[in-house]
Amino acid sequence: MRILSIETSCDETAISILEVKGGKDSPVFSILGDETYSQIAIHTEYGGVFPNLAKREHAKNLPTILEKVLKEAHLWSQGTTSVDTETFNTTLSREPEMAKDLLEKISHITPPQIDAIAVTTGPGLEPTLWIGIMFARALSLTWNIPITPVNHMEGHLLSVLIDNSTKENNTIDFSKLHFPIVGLLVSGGHTELVVITRIGEYKKIGQTLDDAVGEAFDKVARVLDLPYPGGPKISNLAQQGKENPLVTLPRPMLRSDDYNFSFSGLKTAVLYLSKKLQEQNLWDKQIQADIARDFEHASCEVLLKKTQKAVEEFGAQAVIVAGGVAANTHIREEFEKHISVPLFVPKQTLTGDNSVMIGIAGYFQIQNGAPQYLYGSEHNPDEIKANGNWSVDEK
Ligand code: KG4
Ligand code: ZN
């Protein structure tokens, strides 16, 4: 089965084509084509992601990325596709520029051999999710291929199914995957602990009560004068940091009797400490590195402790750590050292937002019988909606 997947939930525009062989219990994923355009350079100027700017960029980039990915997958062959232009333009009526670009490209090729389209419909920024959905609808209409809506956070969890220990994009050995699994989702918008009883069955057991951990990294970076996105910058600076008695940040909710997190107080503690050190003329590169280090340690400590607690209580057979913050080397090393069950983390290239993970999640959705949307069928693609707050454990 071949799946084309689309991801536009935030500031990465991504399309992939996956081929899946072997069946649901031991699938083998091959990435035939995969392109991601990062908008980071554009958003860095503003210190964060602006939804309307991101939306415009997605609309501009999607047709070009599609062409690249189809060529990479050897599914781009000159020919013709007859398109009902009126319906096509109605489907994309809110995005006439994208409609024009896309039509220009796909009316001059033969319909590619693809069985399904997977598209992120939430959680994320609704204006940007809508662009991906409209793009998926236009392709579905033109090529008569059904659409499967995908939860972005499920995508992050399943990104670990591509083996991170090799350079190649091999699929992990499914016989080593035992349930239940505790999943820790750490990104710019989410910090959640999830119990996974099988692929497709998730139960959220805790989450952040305020800022997400990635958001805290980004905000602390601003205090330390580092550009957006702050995670990788903090992580680099932290490597030069040392233990310093002047820098002792709190470990929020470390001992709370639940699986919730809070990172807003930690960020505020960094802000106050920085102000105090500036007033005392102690503000230099070394103390900034010491703060980055302790902030990273504090965040990691609470993430690790709560995950360990969940492993024990739920008898987890494995742990997954996924999402943008899973790129953090310190966090990866600490989990590797202290988690007593097998640990699955994504390949570095799949920690951030990408469409490969959306294709993988789409595959399991289809296998588990989720509705597929196709014009003229029981489920009309026009019913697919963006859901900015779609929780991973909500069907
Ligand atoms: O999953 P992701 O790419 O996008 C969302 O869905 O939010 O996560 C982005 C977040 C940003 O907050 C970024 O600062 C953080 O992941 N991040 C990191 C690292 N790399 C990215 N945080 C800590 N250490 C890193 N190495
Ligand atoms: Zn994400």
Side-chain angles (χ1 to χ4, degrees):
M1 157 176 237
R2 274 195 202 136
I3 304 174
L4 181 141
S5 51
I6 304 163
E7 157 64 37
T8 60
S9 70
C10 190
D11 59 350
E12 320 281 339
T13 322
I15 303 180
S16 314
I17 297 170
L18 296 190
E19 185 158 69
V20 199
K21 291 192 174 140
K24 152 180 168 193
D25 296 325
S26 55
V28 176
F29 298 100
S30 310
I31 303 170
L32 304 185
D34 176 28
E35 287 292 330
T36 305
Y37 274 23
S38 168
Q39 301 176 8
I40 281 179
I42 295 161
H43 298 292
T44 298
E45 243 183 87
Y46 301 91
V49 180
F50 268 72
N52 279 330
L53 187 60
K55 175 184 152 193
R56 214 168 59 208
E57 284 298 305
H58 288 309
K60 196 173 86 190
N61 295 333
L62 279 170
T64 315
I65 298 180
L66 177 72
E67 177 176 348
K68 271 194 154 179
V69 169
L70 287 172
K71 283 183 173 163
E72 234 173 273
H74 304 292
L75 293 170
W76 180 274
S77 65
Q78 297 295 331
T80 47
T81 298
S82 70
V83 184
D84 171 356
T85 323
E86 204 181 312
T87 319
F88 184 91
N89 285 332
T90 311
T91 307
L92 289 181
S93 61
R94 297 224 217 131
E95 294 297 327
E97 294 280 314
M98 182 167 85
K100 193 166 147 264
D101 283 1
L102 181 60
L103 189 62
E104 170 73 28
K105 290 189 191 300
I106 59 178
S107 53
H108 295 113
I109 58 166
T110 50
Q113 294 289 314
I114 288 169
D115 306 293
I117 296 169
V119 63
T120 308
T121 60
L125 305 169
E126 290 203 352
T128 68
L129 290 165
W130 273 114
I131 296 287
I133 293 170
M134 285 191 278
F135 191 77
R137 283 181 187 159
L139 295 183
S140 169
L141 174 79
T142 312
W143 294 335
N144 199 34
I145 300 171
I147 306 176
T148 299
V150 169
N151 183 297
H152 180 84
M153 303 317 288
E154 179 178 23
H156 274 304
L157 286 173
L158 302 185
S159 65
V160 302
L161 299 181
I162 302 292
D163 191 347
N164 90 90
S165 64
T166 61
K167 243 179 151 184
E168 291 76 37
N169 288 313
N170 298 327
T171 309
I172 64 156
D173 179 355
F174 267 64
S175 67
K176 295 199 176 124
L177 206 60
H178 300 292
F179 296 90
I181 294 174
V182 164
L184 173 68
L185 283 163
V186 278
S187 73
H190 294 81
T191 305
E192 297 175 349
L193 270 167
V194 178
V195 174
I196 310 165
T197 39
R198 65 173 176 85
I199 295 180
E201 281 299 327
Y202 310 98
K203 176 97 195 84
K204 206 187 323 181
I205 54 166
Q207 61 189 320
T208 181
L209 302 176
D210 40 59
D211 291 354
V213 61
E215 192 180 352
F217 268 87
D218 296 337
K219 287 178 175 168
V220 165
R222 244 181 277 163
V223 176
L224 299 179
D225 265 335
L226 300 168
Y228 172 85
K233 313 280 182 329
I234 296 264
S235 180
N236 278 342
L237 184 61
Q239 285 179 8
Q240 289 140 46
K242 300 196 190 80
E243 200 165 334
N244 182 336
L246 294 176
V247 179
T248 48
L249 295 167
R251 270 63 177 155
M253 310 205 33
L254 187 64
R255 302 195 194 288
S256 75
D257 204 22
D258 55 21
Y259 296 106
N260 292 330
F261 302 94
S262 162
F263 290 99
S264 150
L266 179 56
K267 165 207 72 190
T268 312
V270 170
L271 185 66
Y272 287 153
L273 177 64
S274 306
K275 280 196 176 139
K276 195 172 111 194
L277 291 168
Q278 282 166 16
E279 280 162 19
Q280 295 172 343
N281 276 333
L282 292 169
W283 191 243
D284 59 16
K285 218 49 220 168
Q286 185 56 51
I287 208 140
Q288 289 172 22
D290 299 345
I291 292 176
R293 176 182 176 274
D294 200 44
F295 166 75
E296 192 175 65
H297 283 211
S299 314
C300 180
E301 213 174 307
V302 273
L303 294 171
L304 180 61
K305 277 274 147 52
K306 299 256 161 161
T307 308
Q308 283 175 315
K309 185 168 135 86
V311 167
E312 270 186 31
E313 182 175 338
F314 294 92
Q317 303 297 302
V319 164
I320 290 174
V321 181
V325 182
N328 187 282
T329 316
H330 176 71
I331 294 177
R332 285 168 97 108
E333 285 173 359
E334 285 295 292
F335 273 69
E336 200 62 72
K337 233 190 273 172
H338 298 291
I339 291 288
S340 57
V341 292
L343 175 71
F344 293 90
V345 290
K347 286 179 71 149
Q348 280 290 352
T349 49
L350 295 181
T351 52
D353 290 345
N354 65 85
S355 48
V356 169
M357 67 185 198
I358 302 305
I360 296 176
Y363 170 75
F364 285 104
Q365 285 292 331
I366 297 166
Q367 297 301 314
N368 289 335
Q372 289 190 273
Y373 295 78
L374 185 67
Y375 290 101
S377 80
E378 183 193 346
H379 302 287
N380 186 320
D382 293 343
E383 289 164 17
I384 301 174
K385 302 275 183 288
N387 180 355
N389 298 315
W390 186 11
S391 173
V392 70
D393 57 0
E394 219 179 285
K395 292 280 176 205

